[in-house]
Amino acid sequence: MSIAPIAPAELPEGWLLTWYGDDFTGSAAVMDVLSFSGVPSVLFLGIPTPELLANFAGYRACGIASTARAQAPDWMEINLPPAFQVLSDLDAPLFHFKVCSTFDSSPAIGSIGKAIDLAAPIIRSDWIPLLIGAPEIGRYQVFGNLFAVANHVGYRLDRHPTMSRHPATPMDEADVRVHLAKQTARAIGLVDMIALGRGRAGDALAHEREAGMEIIALDVVDKQTLSECGRLIWDNRDGTRFAVGSQGVEYALIAYWRDRGWIDLPSASSRIGRAKRVVAVSGSCSHETAGQIRRAAEDGFKPIVIDACRALDPDDWTSEIDRSVAEALKALGDGRDPILYTALGPDDPAVTAFNEATTGRDKQAINERVGSGLGQILKGVIKTAGPARVIVAGGDTSGHAAKALGIHALTAIAPISPAASVSRAHAEDRTIADLEIALKGGQMGTLDYFTKVREGHSAVG
C-alpha cells in the first residue's frame, strides 16, 4: 500500500498518537484505522523495549495490546501503570485508552473506570473525552445511549442479542454515563448530537467543563458529528492528551485531519491475493461468528469442534490440543482449510456445558488456558505444515492465542474488513515471523469473512 505523506507543517513530527487496548482485536482495529488512512502504525503485544521501538523508527503511531477487558482491578493495578508510563514517555500529542466498541465492562471485570483512574495521574488531563460511536462499524451514540448494529439491525446496547447476554460482562445499561459511573467516582458529562450538529459543540464542551465534568462523552451519529468530535479532541488537547473510547477516536481524528487537508487518502489499497492454506480458530460465542463459521463450511472450510470442557484438566487439554492439531493437518492433507471452534453461538449446548463445568472454579484462568490452547493449535499446525494465513476469532481469545504464538508486534497489511483486517506478525521464531494473521472480534466481519481472508479480498479500493 502506498502511504500518503503527512503534512509536517500541520501535524507535529514524531509520534502522533499512542494507544493502550483492553483486548487484542480492538487494539488491532486502531492500527488498521490509522495505517489504512495514511498514518503508519505498529501494535506491540507487550510493553516494548527501547530496542524494539527503534525497529519501527519513522512510524507515526504505536499501541500496546492487552487482555485488560477480561481482567480484575487487582490485575490492572499491577499491569496498567507501567504500560501507561512507557507510552506517556513517548510524548505523543494524544494518548488513547482503547475500549471495546460495545463498552462491555463491569466494576469487577474489565473496569474502564478503574483504567481511567490509574491513567489519570500519569497522563494528566483537565478533561477526558469519551468517544465510543463509530458509524463505520455500526456503532452510534445518541444522547449518551449506545446503539450497535447486528445482522443489519440496530439495537440499544441493553437489548443487543449478544451484548445483553455476554457471558462475562452482560450489558444491562445503554447510557454510557450511567454504566461508567458504576466504575469511577469521576463526574461524567455529555456533548450531545444536537450541539455537535448545530455548531455549538465548543460552547457545550465549555459548559460541561465549567460544571466540573472530568469525563465528557461525545455523541456520534454520522460523518459530520464524527469529524466535529475529532476537532474537539484535537484542538482542545492542551493539558488534555488522554482520550477514552473505541476506534471511533481514530475515525474522528482522521475525519478531522482530512477536513483540514492535513492527510490524504492512500493512493492505492493493499491486495495480498489468495492464500495457499488458511488455518482458523475461534473461541467466540457470538451469533455473528457462528454464522461466519457456517458460511465458511459452505465455502469449503473443514469445521472441527474443540471440546473446551477438557481445558478444566491440563492433561486432558493437552490431549485435546494434540487431537485438534492432527485433525487440522488431516484436513490440509485433504486439500481443505480447517476452521476449529469451541462453540457455534451463545445457544450452542457447548456453551451451557462449559459454564456448568466451570461453576465454582477459576473461570478466568480456564478461559486463558482455552485461548492459549488455540494459539498452540495454530503453532502446531504451522510447525508441521509450514506457514499459513491464520485467523483468530474472539477478542479475549485473540490475545491469549497471539501470545502463545510468540508474536511481539503486528503491522497492518490488508484491509479485509473494518476492525478485522490482515496483519503481518513480527516474532523471533522464524516460522512465525512474517506470518499473515487476522484477529477478529466476535461481532466483526461480514458473513463471508473467513472466505474473504482466504481469498485476500480487500474492503478498500
Side-chain angles (χ1 to χ4, degrees):
M1 180 181 67
S2 175
I3 296 177
I6 297 172
E10 305 294 353
L11 292 175
E13 296 181 356
W15 297 109
L16 278 175
L17 180 147
T18 60
W19 75 94
Y20 183 93
D22 69 353
D23 77 354
F24 275 55
T25 56
S27 301
V30 170
M31 175 181 65
D32 294 347
V33 173
L34 293 167
S35 297
F36 300 131
S37 297
V39 182
S41 305
V42 56
L43 176 64
F44 299 108
L45 274 58
I47 297 177
T49 63
E51 293 76 17
L52 187 54
L53 279 165
N55 290 338
F56 296 93
Y59 280 65
R60 303 305 308 276
C62 71
I64 297 174
S66 81
T67 58
R69 191 180 75 167
Q71 304 293 346
D74 289 349
W75 181 96
M76 290 183 169
E77 289 179 359
I78 295 170
N79 292 275
L80 266 56
F84 290 166
Q85 189 64 61
V86 167
L87 293 175
S88 178
D89 289 346
L90 296 179
D91 203 28
L94 192 72
F95 168 82
H96 173 199
F97 180 72
K98 199 280 177 189
V99 303
C100 185
S101 63
T102 44
F103 214 52
D104 42 320
S105 55
S106 76
I109 297 293
S111 174
I112 297 168
K114 180 68 174 181
I116 292 172
D117 290 342
L118 290 170
I122 299 171
I123 306 153
R124 298 186 181 277
S125 300
D126 54 4
W127 75 285
I128 301 168
L130 174 65
L131 195 162
I132 309 298
E136 185 77 14
I137 57 171
R139 305 291 184 264
Y140 304 88
Q141 184 176 301
V142 180
F143 297 116
N145 286 268
L146 187 59
F147 293 77
V149 174
N151 296 322
H152 309 292
V153 178
Y155 296 91
R156 201 175 71 190
L157 204 60
D158 54 348
R159 297 176 180 174
H160 190 276
T162 299
M163 295 316 304
S164 64
R165 303 166 58 193
H166 191 282
T169 51
M171 297 298 292
D172 58 4
E173 176 57 63
D175 191 319
V176 297
R177 297 165 295 175
V178 176
H179 184 75
L180 186 58
K182 300 173 185 176
Q183 304 171 23
T184 179
R186 297 174 188 272
I188 307 168
L190 173 70
V191 175
D192 66 31
M193 58 181 286
I194 302 298
L196 286 160
R198 294 182 178 176
R200 301 202 306 264
D203 292 340
L205 175 61
H207 178 272
E208 294 295 85
R209 293 178 67 181
E210 289 169 4
M213 300 298 152
E214 295 180 75
I215 303 168
I216 302 178
L218 307 176
D219 276 355
V220 173
V221 295
D222 54 21
K223 290 182 179 180
Q224 178 190 355
T225 51
L226 186 71
S227 178
E228 182 66 356
C229 286
R231 183 188 70 79
L232 285 180
I233 293 172
W234 188 251
D235 288 355
N236 292 278
R237 70 185 188 279
D238 289 343
T240 311
R241 37 191 294 266
F242 176 27
V244 178
S246 72
Q247 58 266 49
V249 171
E250 284 68 33
Y251 279 124
L253 290 172
I254 292 297
Y256 177 56
W257 292 344
R258 282 201 183 124
D259 286 348
R260 294 299 302 269
W262 294 343
I263 61 172
D264 297 319
L265 285 168
S267 60
S269 64
S270 298
R271 299 191 182 279
I272 52 178
R274 182 184 172 97
K276 291 183 179 179
R277 63 181 71 86
V278 172
V279 183
V281 295
S282 172
S284 169
C285 298
S286 76
H287 285 287
E288 290 81 1
T289 300
Q292 291 163 345
I293 291 172
R294 293 188 180 97
R295 174 60 182 269
E298 294 174 4
D299 290 345
F301 281 78
K302 170 63 177 178
I304 300 171
V305 179
I306 300 172
D307 184 358
C309 288
R310 297 191 69 184
L312 273 67
D313 180 271
D315 291 336
D316 281 351
W317 186 230
T318 297
S319 297
E320 181 68 359
I321 290 171
D322 292 342
R323 180 196 65 81
S324 299
V325 170
E327 288 206 28
L329 289 171
K330 182 179 184 303
L332 289 172
D334 293 338
R336 299 183 68 184
D337 297 309
I339 182 166
L340 303 99
Y341 62 92
T342 57
L344 279 177
D347 298 321
D348 190 323
V351 176
T352 302
F354 183 79
N355 289 336
E356 291 177 351
T358 54
T359 299
R361 307 182 65 140
D362 188 345
K363 190 170 184 177
Q364 183 173 320
I366 297 169
N367 280 330
E368 290 180 7
R369 190 179 298 156
V370 171
S372 179
L374 296 184
Q376 293 172 47
I377 290 169
L378 288 176
K379 197 166 189 176
V381 173
I382 292 167
K383 290 286 187 181
T384 301
R389 186 174 299 162
V390 303
I391 307 168
V392 185
D396 299 334
T397 300
S398 292
H400 301 307
K403 286 184 176 180
L405 284 167
I407 298 170
H408 58 65
L410 297 170
T411 49
I413 59 173
I416 299 296
S417 182
S421 298
V422 176
S423 300
R424 187 173 306 286
H426 301 263
E428 297 295 333
D429 188 332
R430 291 185 178 180
T431 61
I432 303 300
D434 293 329
L435 181 73
E436 294 177 353
I437 181 169
L439 305 179
K440 186 196 86 69
Q443 299 170 65
M444 296 301 172
T446 57
L447 184 63
D448 57 349
Y449 175 77
F450 290 100
T451 303
K452 281 186 174 179
V453 173
R454 180 176 64 187
E455 301 299 325
H457 287 174
S458 173
V460 178

